[in-house]
Amino acid sequence: MPMKRLTLALVALALTVTAGACASRSDSDGSEAKETPVVEPSRRDVAEEEPGGIVVDFKDGTTKAEFDAWESAWGVDLEFNSVEGQQSGVTIARGVGDLDAVLARIRQNPAVESAEPLMTYSVPPAEAAASDLEAPSEAPSKDGYTPNDPEYPKQWNLRMIHMPKAWEESRGKGVVVAVLDTGIAYEDHDDFKQVPDLKGAKFKTGYDFVNDDEHANDDHGHGTHVAGTIAQATNNGQGVAGVAFEATLMPVKVLNHFGSGTSADIADAIRFAADKGAKVINMSLGGGGHSKVMADAVEYARKKGVTVVAAAGNAGRARVEFPAAYPGAVAVAAVGPGGTRAPYSSYGKELDIAAPGGDKRQGDAGGILQNTIDPRDVSRSVYAAYQGTSMATPHVAAVAALLYAEGAKGPDEVEKALYAGAKRVGGQAWTEEYGHGLLNAEASLAALGGGASRWPSLWWALALLAFVLLTMRGRERPGYFNVLFRPSFFVPLLLATVGVFFARSWFGGASGVAGDVVDAAYLPIPDWQRIIFGRGKMANPLFYSALIPLLLSFLAIKFQGLRGAIGGLSLGFAGFLAYAAWAKAPALAWLPFSFLAMPWLVVNTFICLIIARAMLRKETAV
């Protein structure tokens, strides 16, 4: 498939150039709560397989009658994982004898997309204990929007990611964020009560995949805490604030009251959220090994335009765990109040970004404070300070909601703005401990506005054009504006620096091959590597180089009429690479040392300039 996409892209590029010729707790009434453990989902070293359990993901549209007819040959009794599973094709069976033999038989059926052992994801032992809520707080700055929530001064995490200024630009209005977790205390139903600081928040109907009903209530406390960071009712004179407090929460329960869930439920839920209108999926969960069923679900959601955000893990080791490590998921590490990686936070080559997750070695003031339930009494509201990558993840998911509310068109654009706005650590574009840096909501919104990630490349290209022309002798030098306003030159230059920036606005509804063409056209040509090779944590150095202009320059030997178009393309690449070097971005794959990215970009910028100069030079008589 990558070769097919590469061939199509090169054909499209050739056509483009020829045509021219991108836990402290207290009761809600303020009374002190008894000491209770803070539980936080984390990762296990190996997958925990449910004995005798399998999950089979059928192609969409496969009916129960169809797989019932195959079951006798397979020796299993499959059932849809949930009522919603009838739409997703996710099925499960329990009590299976020889798993390997059964799975081998099932995988031979062309209607089966994947079949594997059913995995269980569990909440680990408590990480920390709650004490009291009386902890030092920092006076909020008067610079920017300041909510009147009385406990807001204790939310150091919101100021760390520059929310006061970001709130002046976006509050996530209308964006649906699905929280795949233990549920949310969002309604009064039976013994469940809505927590006070979520009254006034907006909700969209979700689903309980644990109990197979529409009431995704929280019987653990973790999911409500996560949801509060995303969209706690804010400026209501009560409790604490949330990041995207005008966003809409979709409660999706995939973990039971022990904090445990299955790969089938999680995969089913990802597809459900994507199909029901979520633009962002938050998964503050994990554990176990690779699951193809879950990986396919993440890919499905991403193709539907959903940004999937997941926790990197709490093992404190150099390995990002699943589902955060899947291609298509934004992997989030945690930092403490000092802005350094929290000791429990996992990290590694799949990491994308870091966000506040808390560090309670300094006491409860170092945790992330939100309103949730007492797990011993689901009707009782508490304010709790938690720590973990689970707490860092909703910060990123909520900022993604802010970006969608401001017009971001899809996961690629959201991620590019997140990473462009992130605060660099140690001046490096990417590191294993922090990814692209520390989340900065204000800067990411500014990046989405175009400045940090698109238009400067064009300004660099125009400046470099002047430089190239000045290096030519008088008789060899064409006029600046004569070159600039020639369509065969200017169109390739635009495609290489800013892409067809209006493509998604005009043709955003396209799907299939047409949708891929729109996505490619929207991006500058060096960023076509995202379409061809798929999403990666680092850019492909072959596209972030002079390789494409160099190869196309050989065409000018035979076809003189292409010189202007190839000159424009080369100048566009030079501007793109020069801006990338100046902005100290991006991290490049395959290079043995990260510091080599800068000289790579600079050298390739000069090669592009040499090609552009050769293409633009006027032939003179000897």
Coordinates of all heavy atoms in Angstrom, one line a residue, residues 48-56 67 71 74-82 90-99 102-103 106 116-121 209-212 254 256 260-266 268:
E48 N -2.7 -9.3 29.8 CA -3.4 -10.3 30.6 C -4.5 -10.8 29.8 O -5.5 -10.1 29.5 CB -3.9 -9.6 31.9 CG -2.8 -9.3 32.9 CD -3.4 -8.9 34.2 OE1 -4.6 -9.0 34.4 OE2 -2.6 -8.6 35.1
E49 N -4.4 -12.1 29.4 CA -5.5 -12.7 28.5 C -6.5 -13.3 29.4 O -6.2 -14.0 30.4 CB -4.8 -13.7 27.6 CG -3.8 -13.2 26.6 CD -3.3 -14.3 25.7 OE1 -3.7 -15.4 25.8 OE2 -2.3 -13.9 25.0
E50 N -7.8 -13.0 29.1 CA -8.9 -13.7 29.8 C -8.9 -15.1 29.4 O -9.0 -15.5 28.2 CB -10.2 -13.0 29.4 CG -11.4 -13.6 30.2 CD -12.7 -12.9 29.9 OE1 -12.7 -11.7 30.1 OE2 -13.6 -13.6 29.5
P51 N -8.8 -16.1 30.3 CA -8.7 -17.5 30.0 C -9.9 -17.9 29.1 O -11.0 -17.7 29.5 CB -8.7 -18.2 31.4 CG -8.2 -17.2 32.3 CD -8.7 -15.8 31.8
G52 N -9.6 -18.5 28.0 CA -10.6 -19.0 27.1 C -11.4 -18.0 26.4 O -12.4 -18.3 25.7
G53 N -11.0 -16.7 26.4 CA -11.7 -15.6 25.8 C -11.1 -15.2 24.5 O -9.8 -15.2 24.4
I54 N -11.9 -15.0 23.5 CA -11.3 -14.4 22.2 C -12.2 -13.3 21.7 O -13.4 -13.2 22.1 CB -11.3 -15.5 21.1 CG1 -12.7 -16.0 20.7 CG2 -10.4 -16.7 21.5 CD1 -12.8 -16.9 19.5
V55 N -11.6 -12.4 20.9 CA -12.4 -11.3 20.3 C -12.2 -11.4 18.8 O -11.0 -11.6 18.3 CB -12.0 -9.9 20.8 CG1 -10.5 -9.7 20.7 CG2 -12.7 -8.8 20.1
V56 N -13.2 -11.3 18.0 CA -13.2 -11.4 16.6 C -13.8 -10.2 16.0 O -15.0 -9.8 16.3 CB -13.9 -12.7 16.0 CG1 -13.8 -12.7 14.5 CG2 -13.3 -13.9 16.6
F67 N -22.1 -15.3 10.7 CA -21.1 -15.9 11.5 C -21.6 -17.1 12.3 O -20.9 -18.0 12.7 CB -20.3 -14.9 12.4 CG -21.0 -14.2 13.5 CD1 -21.4 -14.8 14.6 CD2 -21.3 -12.8 13.3 CE1 -22.1 -14.1 15.6 CE2 -21.9 -12.1 14.3 CZ -22.3 -12.8 15.5
E71 N -19.8 -21.0 12.8 CA -19.4 -21.3 14.2 C -19.1 -22.8 14.4 O -18.2 -23.2 15.1 CB -20.4 -20.8 15.2 CG -20.4 -19.3 15.4 CD -21.5 -18.9 16.4 OE1 -22.4 -19.7 16.6 OE2 -21.4 -17.7 16.8
W74 N -15.8 -23.7 13.3 CA -14.7 -23.1 14.2 C -14.7 -23.7 15.6 O -13.7 -23.6 16.3 CB -15.0 -21.6 14.3 CG -14.8 -20.8 13.0 CD1 -14.2 -21.3 11.8 CD2 -15.3 -19.5 12.6 NE1 -14.2 -20.3 10.9 CE2 -14.9 -19.2 11.3 CE3 -16.0 -18.6 13.3 CZ2 -15.2 -18.0 10.7 CZ3 -16.3 -17.4 12.7 CH2 -15.9 -17.1 11.4
G75 N -15.8 -24.2 16.0 CA -15.9 -24.7 17.4 C -16.0 -23.7 18.4 O -15.5 -23.8 19.5
V76 N -16.7 -22.6 18.1 CA -17.0 -21.5 19.1 C -18.4 -21.0 19.0 O -19.1 -21.3 18.1 CB -16.0 -20.3 18.8 CG1 -14.6 -20.7 19.0 CG2 -16.3 -19.7 17.4
D77 N -18.8 -20.3 20.0 CA -20.1 -19.6 20.1 C -19.9 -18.1 20.2 O -19.7 -17.6 21.3 CB -21.0 -20.2 21.2 CG -22.4 -19.5 21.2 OD1 -22.8 -19.0 20.2 OD2 -23.0 -19.6 22.3
L78 N -19.9 -17.4 19.1 CA -19.7 -16.0 19.1 C -20.9 -15.2 19.3 O -22.0 -15.6 18.8 CB -19.0 -15.5 17.8 CG -17.6 -16.0 17.5 CD1 -17.2 -15.8 16.1 CD2 -16.6 -15.2 18.4
E79 N -20.8 -14.1 20.0 CA -21.9 -13.1 20.2 C -21.3 -11.7 20.0 O -20.2 -11.5 20.3 CB -22.5 -13.3 21.6 CG -23.1 -14.6 21.9 CD -24.4 -14.9 21.0 OE1 -25.0 -13.9 20.5 OE2 -24.8 -16.1 20.9
F80 N -22.2 -10.8 19.5 CA -21.8 -9.4 19.4 C -21.3 -9.0 20.8 O -22.0 -9.3 21.8 CB -22.9 -8.5 18.9 CG -23.0 -8.6 17.4 CD1 -24.2 -9.1 16.8 CD2 -22.0 -8.2 16.6 CE1 -24.3 -9.1 15.4 CE2 -22.1 -8.2 15.2 CZ -23.3 -8.7 14.6
N81 N -20.3 -8.2 20.9 CA -19.8 -7.7 22.2 C -20.8 -6.9 22.9 O -20.8 -6.9 24.2 CB -18.5 -6.9 21.9 CG -17.9 -6.4 23.2 OD1 -17.5 -7.2 24.1 ND2 -17.9 -5.1 23.4
S82 N -21.6 -6.2 22.2 CA -22.6 -5.3 22.8 C -23.7 -5.1 21.8 O -23.6 -5.5 20.6 CB -22.0 -4.0 23.2 OG -21.6 -3.3 22.1
V90 N -17.6 -6.1 16.2 CA -16.8 -6.7 17.3 C -17.6 -7.8 18.0 O -18.7 -7.5 18.6 CB -16.3 -5.6 18.3 CG1 -15.5 -6.3 19.4 CG2 -15.5 -4.6 17.6
T91 N -17.1 -9.0 18.0 CA -17.7 -10.1 18.7 C -16.8 -10.8 19.7 O -15.5 -10.6 19.6 CB -18.2 -11.2 17.7 OG1 -17.0 -11.8 17.1 CG2 -19.1 -10.6 16.6
I92 N -17.3 -11.5 20.6 CA -16.5 -12.2 21.6 C -17.0 -13.6 21.8 O -18.2 -13.9 21.5 CB -16.4 -11.5 23.0 CG1 -17.9 -11.3 23.6 CG2 -15.8 -10.2 22.9 CD1 -17.9 -10.8 25.0
A93 N -16.2 -14.5 22.3 CA -16.5 -15.9 22.7 C -15.7 -16.2 24.0 O -14.6 -15.8 24.1 CB -16.3 -16.9 21.6
R94 N -16.3 -16.9 24.9 CA -15.7 -17.4 26.1 C -15.7 -18.9 26.2 O -16.5 -19.5 25.5 CB -16.3 -16.7 27.3 CG -16.0 -15.2 27.4 CD -16.5 -14.6 28.7 NE -15.9 -13.3 28.9 CZ -16.5 -12.1 28.5 NH1 -17.6 -12.2 27.8 NH2 -15.9 -11.0 28.8
G95 N -14.9 -19.4 27.0 CA -14.9 -20.9 27.2 C -14.3 -21.6 26.0 O -14.6 -22.8 25.8
V96 N -13.4 -21.0 25.3 CA -12.8 -21.6 24.1 C -11.6 -22.5 24.6 O -10.8 -22.1 25.4 CB -12.3 -20.5 23.1 CG1 -11.6 -21.2 21.9 CG2 -13.4 -19.6 22.7
G97 N -11.5 -23.7 24.0 CA -10.5 -24.6 24.4 C -9.1 -24.3 23.8 O -8.4 -23.5 24.4
D98 N -8.8 -24.8 22.7 CA -7.5 -24.6 22.1 C -7.5 -23.3 21.3 O -7.9 -23.2 20.1 CB -7.2 -25.8 21.1 CG -5.7 -25.7 20.6 OD1 -5.1 -24.6 20.7 OD2 -5.3 -26.7 20.0
L99 N -7.1 -22.2 22.0 CA -7.2 -20.9 21.4 C -6.4 -20.8 20.1 O -7.0 -20.2 19.1 CB -6.6 -19.8 22.4 CG -7.4 -19.5 23.6 CD1 -6.7 -18.4 24.4 CD2 -8.8 -19.0 23.2
V102 N -8.2 -22.6 17.2 CA -9.5 -21.9 16.9 C -9.3 -20.6 16.2 O -9.9 -20.3 15.1 CB -10.4 -21.7 18.2 CG1 -11.5 -20.8 17.9 CG2 -10.8 -23.0 18.7
L103 N -8.3 -19.8 16.7 CA -8.0 -18.5 16.0 C -7.5 -18.7 14.6 O -7.8 -18.0 13.7 CB -7.1 -17.7 16.9 CG -7.6 -17.2 18.2 CD1 -6.5 -16.6 19.1 CD2 -8.7 -16.1 17.9
I106 N -10.4 -19.4 12.4 CA -11.2 -18.2 12.2 C -10.5 -17.2 11.2 O -11.2 -16.5 10.4 CB -11.5 -17.5 13.5 CG1 -12.4 -18.4 14.4 CG2 -12.1 -16.1 13.4 CD1 -12.6 -17.9 15.8
E116 N -8.1 -12.6 17.9 CA -7.1 -12.6 18.9 C -7.6 -13.0 20.2 O -8.8 -12.9 20.5 CB -6.3 -11.3 18.9 CG -7.2 -10.1 19.4 CD -6.5 -8.8 19.2 OE1 -5.6 -8.7 18.4 OE2 -6.9 -7.8 19.8
P117 N -6.7 -13.3 21.2 CA -7.2 -13.6 22.6 C -7.8 -12.3 23.1 O -7.4 -11.2 22.8 CB -5.9 -13.9 23.3 CG -5.0 -14.5 22.3 CD -5.3 -13.6 21.0
L118 N -8.8 -12.4 24.0 CA -9.5 -11.3 24.7 C -8.6 -10.9 25.8 O -8.2 -11.7 26.7 CB -10.8 -11.7 25.2 CG -11.7 -10.7 25.9 CD1 -12.0 -9.6 24.9 CD2 -12.9 -11.3 26.5
M119 N -8.2 -9.6 25.8 CA -7.3 -9.1 26.8 C -8.0 -8.3 27.9 O -9.1 -7.7 27.6 CB -6.2 -8.2 26.1 CG -5.4 -8.9 25.1 SD -4.2 -7.8 24.4 CE -3.5 -8.8 23.1
T120 N -7.5 -8.3 29.1 CA -8.1 -7.6 30.2 C -7.1 -6.5 30.6 O -5.9 -6.8 30.8 CB -8.4 -8.5 31.4 OG1 -9.3 -9.5 31.0 CG2 -9.0 -7.8 32.5
Y121 N -7.6 -5.3 30.8 CA -6.8 -4.2 31.3 C -7.3 -3.8 32.7 O -8.5 -3.7 32.9 CB -7.0 -3.0 30.3 CG -6.5 -3.3 28.9 CD1 -7.2 -4.1 28.1 CD2 -5.3 -2.8 28.5 CE1 -6.7 -4.3 26.8 CE2 -4.8 -3.0 27.3 CZ -5.5 -3.8 26.4 OH -5.0 -4.1 25.1
F209 N -20.5 0.1 28.0 CA -20.1 -1.1 27.4 C -19.8 -2.2 28.4 O -19.8 -3.4 28.0 CB -18.9 -0.9 26.5 CG -19.2 -0.2 25.2 CD1 -19.2 1.1 25.1 CD2 -19.6 -1.0 24.1 CE1 -19.6 1.8 23.9 CE2 -19.9 -0.3 22.9 CZ -19.9 1.0 22.8
V210 N -19.7 -1.9 29.7 CA -19.6 -2.9 30.7 C -20.9 -3.6 31.0 O -21.0 -4.8 31.1 CB -19.0 -2.2 32.0 CG1 -18.9 -3.3 33.1 CG2 -17.6 -1.7 31.7
N211 N -21.9 -2.8 31.2 CA -23.3 -3.3 31.5 C -24.2 -3.3 30.4 O -25.4 -3.7 30.5 CB -23.8 -2.5 32.7 CG -23.0 -2.5 33.9 OD1 -22.7 -3.5 34.5 ND2 -22.4 -1.3 34.3
D212 N -23.8 -2.8 29.2 CA -24.6 -2.8 28.0 C -25.9 -2.1 28.1 O -27.0 -2.6 27.8 CB -24.8 -4.3 27.5 CG -24.9 -4.4 26.0 OD1 -24.6 -3.4 25.3 OD2 -25.3 -5.5 25.5
V254 N -16.0 1.9 29.8 CA -15.4 0.7 29.3 C -14.6 0.0 30.4 O -14.1 -1.1 30.2 CB -14.4 1.0 28.2 CG1 -15.1 1.6 27.0 CG2 -13.3 2.0 28.7
N256 N -14.9 -1.3 34.6 CA -15.9 -1.5 35.6 C -15.5 -0.9 37.0 O -14.5 -0.1 37.0 CB -16.1 -3.1 35.8 CG -14.8 -3.8 36.2 OD1 -13.9 -3.2 36.8 ND2 -14.8 -5.1 35.9
S260 N -11.3 -2.2 35.7 CA -10.9 -3.2 34.7 C -11.8 -3.3 33.5 O -13.0 -3.1 33.6 CB -10.9 -4.6 35.4 OG -10.5 -5.6 34.5
G261 N -11.2 -3.5 32.3 CA -12.0 -3.6 31.1 C -11.4 -4.5 30.1 O -10.2 -4.9 30.3
T262 N -12.1 -4.8 29.0 CA -11.5 -5.7 28.0 C -11.2 -5.0 26.7 O -11.7 -3.9 26.4 CB -12.5 -6.8 27.7 OG1 -13.7 -6.2 27.0 CG2 -13.0 -7.5 28.9
S263 N -10.3 -5.6 25.9 CA -9.9 -5.0 24.6 C -11.2 -4.9 23.7 O -11.3 -4.0 22.9 CB -8.9 -5.8 24.0 OG -9.2 -7.2 23.9
A264 N -12.1 -5.9 23.9 CA -13.3 -5.8 23.0 C -14.2 -4.6 23.3 O -14.6 -3.9 22.4 CB -14.1 -7.1 23.2
D265 N -14.4 -4.3 24.6 CA -15.2 -3.2 25.0 C -14.5 -1.9 24.6 O -15.2 -0.9 24.1 CB -15.4 -3.1 26.5 CG -16.5 -4.1 27.0 OD1 -17.3 -4.5 26.1 OD2 -16.6 -4.4 28.2
I266 N -13.2 -1.8 24.7 CA -12.5 -0.5 24.4 C -12.6 -0.3 22.9 O -12.9 0.8 22.4 CB -11.1 -0.6 24.9 CG1 -11.1 -0.6 26.4 CG2 -10.3 0.7 24.4 CD1 -9.7 -0.9 27.0
D268 N -14.7 -1.6 20.7 CA -16.1 -1.3 20.4 C -16.5 0.2 20.7 O -17.2 0.9 19.9 CB -17.0 -2.2 21.3 CG -18.3 -2.7 20.5 OD1 -18.6 -2.1 19.4 OD2 -19.0 -3.6 21.0

